[in-house]
Each structure stands twice: as structure tokens, then as C-alpha cells.
Amino acid sequence: MSYSFVSKIGFSDGKEITLKGWAYNFRCSGKIFFLQFRDGTGRVQIVYSKADIPENQWEALNNLKIESSVIVTGVVKKDDRAPSGYELEGKVFEIIQLAPEDYPISKKEHGPDFLLDHRHLWLRSEKQWAIQRVRDTVIQATYEYLHEQGFIKFDSPILTPNACEGTTELFGIKYFDEGSAYLSQSGQLYLEAGVMSFGRCFDFGPVFRAEKSKTRRHLTEFWMMDAEAAFVEHEENMKIQEGLIMNILTAVLEKNRKELAILERDVQALEAVQAPFIRMTHAEAVERLHELGSDIGTDDDLGADDETLLTSQFDRPVFVEKYPAAVKAFYMKRDPQNSSVALCSDLLASEGYGEIIGGSQREDDYETLLARINEHQLPVEAFNWYLDLRKYGSVPHSGFGYGLERIVGWMCGTHHIRETIPFPRLINRISP
Ligand code: 4AD
Ligand code: MG
């Protein structure tokens, strides 16, 4: 039997269709049964009258339990009050599997731990459904924009022999007779090899940080998109990031109106975001933060509170550039005008959602990079291949990496990023 989808219901106005999915909710008033049905693409109400369907189907309806899987057939009717714009006049009702009575998630308030313990079921709830759909749009818009800009997808490894972003947050594992291996913190270093072959490339996949910090912005496993480009310097690097974020925003506003409404997201705040983004140096940011009452030190990295304080001043994202080199990674190129700062930028989302992108121009001189590796007390042998990239046809190059969950959290207006990934990994959580 052919069947349709809730998302396509508008094409069948006045016609009879069959849908396969789950009973989200229901109520019965005497001889009328209202079924809230979902099929993964959306939700629709199906109205059954006792008089219209066979006795045994009416009985099945009255024994229905939440989240049972069902097949429904009905006639599509326009209904302006319905969220989907339509409802179905029920004709046939069939159960695939009748769930027991005790579906754990109900309309009442559940604590975050309870919900996270039931994440495998919580994902069916409307808000969680909406968030994952926005996530899908962000991923798709990212691929589209980068391909348009001439980047190719280049998959970096997850098992790596050394650190990319500092050694304190590494997950180590025993790797046969080779000793230790580490879960990747970012594919950046491998992308730098990629750009010397392809010019522009990006990766997109899970990365791992043994972050001790228990904040609403940190996961131990999250999805990063790293992009890297040969012959691109600091300024152009920021332009590419700005273009990417605008492309993502436009796509979400275009494709996810319904999801943003479910999430009760303040859409105006997203619509207000325009290029060019605000730009300031780290030194200017520190000065501003002092005026706003922060006690940040002149050479400190911005903390989460500082980021929130700073971005709450603007209606669009803020690039903070040229951080003190001492607080940033070994691979960043120094500013030729002032060697104490790096040619780097962090992009802070508006509305206080914090850092969404970290990027920089990379050190491209062999001797300078070697000196940095030694200064950072990193094992030079592990970086010989990386140094080779500066030996054979070195060119100026830059790149950046975004945290997918941070961007999705900002788009959706979610308080904690644990809801933006299907199965969050936090310092105190690895299941389900
Ligand atoms: O700023 P980060 O550490 O930069 C890098 O890893 C570079 N190698 C990227 C590059 O240049 N290719 O991380 C990049 C982004 C951050 O801006 C943030 O959005 C996100 O990754 N991020 C996290 N997201 C969730 N949980 C965590 N623990 C995160 N740590 C970083
Ligand atoms: Mg960073």
C-alpha cells in the first residue's frame, strides 16, 4: 500500500491518504476521537467519529496508548487553526504495535537528568525533534556554502598520535604496540596537509575534549567543522567565516520557521543579524569589558561570562581578533606588526551564546614553527610530518573550526548545548 507523509499533506487537500507513524497524544469526547499523530516529518490531528469507522477500530482507538505505532487513513481537510494547516477526517485506524501504558515521558515537568536518562525516547518530543531538524539544516547549509566557495570535503582521522589543541584535554587510549593514541580534538593539522594538495578543504565530524568544565557550552564529544584554505590570510579568513554564518542563518530562517516556532525562538533576534559583523581586537575587547565591570586581565583569554557580557552589547556576532599569542595555540602565525599577538580570531555569537568559531592564519615558516613547537614543549618527532608542509612548497594559509552544537544552540535559543546533539557526552554522562 502506498502511503504519504505529513510534510506533503498540502498536496492532497480533499483526498484520502494513508500515513504511518506514532500516536503522540489523544483524547476522546464521547463519539469523537482526536488523535495527535506524528510521522517524523510533522504532526497532524486525525479526527475519528464512532459512526464512520468499524466497531473493532473504534475499540482499538479507545485502547490506544501513547507512542504506539499506527497506520491511519483519512481525508485531508484544510484547517487554518492546525499547526500543519490541515487535519484528517479519519477513515481507517490500524495498530502496528501497541505500547504499554507506562511511556516514561509525559506532559509534566521532568528534570534534566530524567530526560537525559531517557534520551532515546526524549528525541521524539516536539522540541527535541525541532532542534535536530535545525541541526540538519545547519549541516546542509555548511556543505553548500563551502562547496560553493571551492572547498572539498577531506576526512581527517579520529585516532591520532598527538595533540592539536593542547595536551590537557586529551582522551588517550592504548594502541596495540604503537603505545598511546589520542582521540582527535580537531582535524586542523591534517587539513593543512590537505590544502597543499587541494587548495581548499574541510572536514566535519566528531571531536573529543576531556573538558573538566561542567558548563552549558561544553561537551566531551562534539561535532566540529574545520575549514582550511591555501593563500588565504587573516582578513579573508574572517570574510569566509562571516559568509558561512550568514548562509547558515539564511537557510535556518528559510527552512525552519515551523521548528523555530515550536522552540519559541525569538526570530527577530536572528533576523537582525547582518554582515559585516562587529570586529575588535582582544585589547579593545578587554578595555570594553573593563568599562562593563569585568576584571579580566589584559593577557587573559575571554571567559564565558566575558563573552556573554561583550556580545550582549550588539545585535550581531563579534569577531575578537589578535589575542595575546601566549594564550593561543602553537600553530598560529604572529602579527608582523606586533609579535606578541596572534593573527587569530574568535567569533562570538550574538545574544550571549559565546564562542562559535576559532580560527587563525597558520605559521608557515619552518624555523619559526619548529621554535614554537619547542617552546610549547611538544614532541618534535610527532610533528615532523607537519613541519614537512613548511619545507616543501610552504604558502600562507588560514583556517577555522566551528562547534556545530554551539551554532545549533544559538539558532534554537537552547540554554544548554546538551540538547543540540542526539546523544550528549558530558563529564558525568556516557549513556544511553
Ligand atoms: O576554538 P577551538 O578549540 O579551535 C580549534 O580546535 C581549531 N583547531 C579549529 C581550526 O582552526 N580548524 O574549537 C573550535 C570550536 C569553538 O569555537 C567552539 O565553537 C567549539 O569548537 N568547541 C566546543 N563545543 C562544544 N564543546 C566543547 N568542549 C568545545 N570546545 C570547542
Ligand atoms: Mg577557541
Side-chain angles (χ1 to χ4, degrees), residues 259-277:
E259 288 79 4
L260 296 174
I262 289 169
L263 295 164
E264 295 165 66
R265 178 69 168 101
D266 171 9
V267 180
Q268 277 177 357
L270 292 178
E271 285 168 339
V273 175
Q274 304 277 340
F277 297 164

Side-chain angles (χ1 to χ4, degrees), residues 164-165 169 185-189 191 207 209 211 213 217-228 328 331 346-347 355-360 362 399-407 417:
C164 174
E165 291 297 316
E169 295 168 354
Q185 299 168 305
S186 158
Q188 178 203 321
L189 306 187
L191 283 184
V207 294
R209 305 254 170 123
E211 296 261 10
S213 35
R217 291 177 189 166
H218 289 93
L219 297 165
T220 55
E221 174 178 319
F222 63 98
W223 278 60
M224 191 184 292
M225 189 288 296
D226 297 281
E228 196 75 22
K328 289 291 182 188
Y331 52 71
D346 279 0
L347 182 62
E355 181 196 328
I356 49 174
I357 303 187
S360 75
R362 320 305 190 187
F400 60 91
Y402 83 35
L404 175 60
E405 292 74 17
R406 300 258 183 107
I407 294 183
I417 65 166

Side-chain angles (χ1 to χ4, degrees), residues 97-117:
Q97 188 254 335
L98 184 63
E101 188 120 40
D102 58 354
Y103 188 70
I105 299 176
S106 62
K107 275 218 165 347
K108 71 166 201 268
E109 280 287 310
H110 297 291
D113 274 324
F114 178 89
L115 289 169
L116 287 167
D117 285 342

Side-chain angles (χ1 to χ4, degrees), residues 306-314 318 348-354:
D306 294 316
E307 289 175 1
T308 304
L309 193 60
L310 189 66
T311 53
S312 61
Q313 308 295 303
F314 307 101
V318 181
L348 314 180
S350 43
E351 300 173 85
Y353 284 91

Side-chain angles (χ1 to χ4, degrees), residues 30-193:
K31 293 181 160 44
I32 312 278
F33 193 98
F34 301 92
L35 171 61
Q36 301 299 328
F37 169 92
R38 60 173 192 87
D39 73 346
T41 73
R43 255 174 72 178
V44 69
Q45 172 168 272
I46 301 145
V47 184
Y48 287 99
S49 308
K50 186 166 192 269
D52 277 2
I53 59 167
E55 181 69 32
N56 62 335
Q57 293 184 20
W58 181 254
E59 237 165 67
L61 274 172
N62 281 277
N63 285 319
L64 185 58
K65 305 288 179 281
I66 282 177
E67 286 303 320
S68 295
S69 42
V70 298
I71 303 175
V72 299
T73 299
V75 177
V76 178
K77 292 264 148 82
K78 220 170 162 38
D79 179 0
D80 292 335
R81 290 159 310 168
S84 62
Y86 296 91
E87 67 173 32
L88 250 63
E89 197 180 276
K91 297 292 176 207
V92 184
F93 175 75
E94 193 185 326
I95 289 203
I96 303 170
Q97 188 254 335
L98 184 63
E101 188 120 40
D102 58 354
Y103 188 70
I105 299 176
S106 62
K107 275 218 165 347
K108 71 166 201 268
E109 280 287 310
H110 297 291
D113 274 324
F114 178 89
L115 289 169
L116 287 167
D117 285 342
H118 294 87
R119 183 62 173 164
H120 51 297
L121 302 176
W122 188 25
L123 285 165
R124 305 178 187 192
S125 298
E126 198 170 35
K127 285 199 165 136
Q128 301 308 312
W129 174 86
I131 293 170
Q132 293 311 315
R133 290 182 45 105
V134 171
R135 181 178 167 114
D136 179 63
T137 304
V138 174
I139 294 169
Q140 199 187 348
T142 299
Y143 274 86
E144 269 168 22
Y145 176 80
L146 289 171
H147 281 140
E148 248 164 48
Q149 297 294 314
F151 289 78
I152 74 153
K153 177 92 188 310
F154 178 84
D155 301 320
S156 53
I158 286 184
L159 290 170
T160 60
N162 54 269
C164 174
E165 291 297 316
T167 48
T168 53
E169 295 168 354
L170 276 176
F171 279 111
I173 53 166
K174 203 186 142 312
Y175 196 78
F176 305 106
D177 295 336
E178 297 290 307
S180 296
Y182 305 95
L183 298 181
S184 177
Q185 299 168 305
S186 158
Q188 178 203 321
L189 306 187
Y190 294 97
L191 283 184
E192 288 184 58

Side-chain angles (χ1 to χ4, degrees), residues 234 280-286 289 296-303 306-307 310 318-329 332-335 338-348 355 357-360:
H234 176 57
M280 64 181 77
T281 62
H282 176 269
E284 287 162 347
V286 166
L289 282 164
I296 182 173
T298 43
D299 287 338
D300 289 353
D301 207 345
L302 270 62
D306 294 316
E307 289 175 1
L310 189 66
V318 181
F319 278 114
V320 179
E321 55 169 340
K322 302 191 177 174
Y323 281 67
V327 301
K328 289 291 182 188
M332 293 185 179
K333 191 177 177 69
R334 306 280 174 103
D335 184 356
N338 172 5
S339 66
S340 71
V341 302
L343 285 178
C344 67
S345 59
D346 279 0
L347 182 62
L348 314 180
E355 181 196 328
I357 303 187
S360 75

